[in-house]
Amino acid sequence: PTYLPTSPALCFHVHAQYSSARAGTMHLPHGPVVTPVFMPVGTKCTVKGLTSDQLLQPSLSPQIILANTYHCALEPGTELIDELGGLHEFMGWPNNLLTDSGGFQMVSLLKLAEITEEGVTFKSPIDGSEMLLTPEESIHHQNHIGSDIIMQLDDVVSSVNVDRQRFETAMERSVRWLDRCIGAHRRFKSQSLP
């Protein structure tokens, strides 16, 4: 793989294309990921019902797992994950990890969220405490987690929302938040922010 200075943690090769479908390989810090790919979800730092050893069996062996930034930040906390060597070490996972930004919870926990230009304030479903998730905090949490691919915090709107103005506001805010995410990212040599 040839990594570019602008993307030292990810390079992508297209091997074949048919119409708009394509097959390729993403080269990431913890190995290649052949695409298209199935990515199991480890919401709270683990894939429910399976140990990492079970996941690594040849019949499963996913090349990448998705972890949820919001839930990792709530429990056990991203600073603790970092102190223990990052999420790869924490869950005993040698392959790649992708973390979402925590933004999807703007839809799934909408009744517990308030969205402003600063970020989104969530009420914890565990104890009712408040967490302000700004673009900078989202990236900070993901840097602590140590995932291979991190995502920007964007203003997520439910697909069943019919308010066009809400979608336009969310789109414009997401672009502004991207600049803030890029400015906050500190581990660009080991984590890709696509």
Side-chain angles (χ1 to χ4, degrees), residues 1-189:
T2 304
Y3 295 92
L4 301 174
T6 54
S7 185
L10 177 140
C11 76
F12 185 75
H13 290 100
V14 175
H15 301 295
Q17 188 165 345
Y18 179 77
S19 186
S20 60
R22 63 184 180 186
T25 303
M26 281 189 301
H27 296 277
L28 297 166
H30 287 86
V33 176
V34 177
T35 67
V37 64
F38 172 72
M39 189 181 321
V41 177
T43 299
K44 293 184 178 181
C45 307
T46 184
V47 175
K48 287 186 170 78
L50 295 170
T51 67
S52 292
D53 286 340
Q54 289 170 322
L55 278 171
L56 289 170
Q57 295 302 310
S59 60
L60 297 176
S61 200
Q63 301 162 61
I64 190 166
I65 291 176
L66 185 148
N68 184 284
T69 297
Y70 171 79
H71 290 291
C72 289
L74 277 182
E75 290 181 328
T78 58
E79 288 185 7
L80 176 62
I81 291 170
D82 193 18
E83 287 172 21
L84 296 172
L87 189 55
H88 288 93
E89 190 71 27
F90 183 80
M91 63 185 287
W93 185 247
N95 296 342
N96 295 289
L97 291 168
L98 178 147
T99 42
D100 69 358
S101 64
F104 179 73
Q105 278 64 45
M106 289 181 214
V107 174
S108 66
L109 298 176
L110 184 59
K111 292 179 181 172
L112 301 173
E114 179 186 352
I115 304 160
T116 66
E117 187 63 31
E118 184 179 10
V120 56
T121 301
F122 293 104
K123 284 191 177 178
S124 167
I126 299 166
D127 64 8
S129 64
E130 290 190 348
M131 172 202 286
L132 174 61
L133 187 64
T134 64
E136 295 82 3
E137 278 299 305
S138 172
I139 297 299
H140 178 78
H141 287 306
Q142 292 177 82
N143 284 166
H144 277 308
I145 290 168
S147 50
D148 301 278
I149 299 176
I150 65 176
M151 294 291 166
Q152 84 160 84
L153 181 65
D154 49 0
D155 186 348
V156 181
V157 182
S158 170
S159 61
V160 297
N161 189 322
V162 294
D163 182 352
R164 182 177 176 86
Q165 182 58 46
R166 175 67 183 101
F167 278 98
E168 288 178 13
T169 299
M171 177 191 64
E172 292 164 0
R173 180 177 288 143
S174 293
V175 171
R176 290 189 299 274
W177 283 3
L178 174 59
D179 290 336
R180 292 170 58 188
C181 287
I182 291 169
H185 188 23
R186 297 290 177 255
R187 297 183 60 194
F188 63 93
K189 290 184 178 179

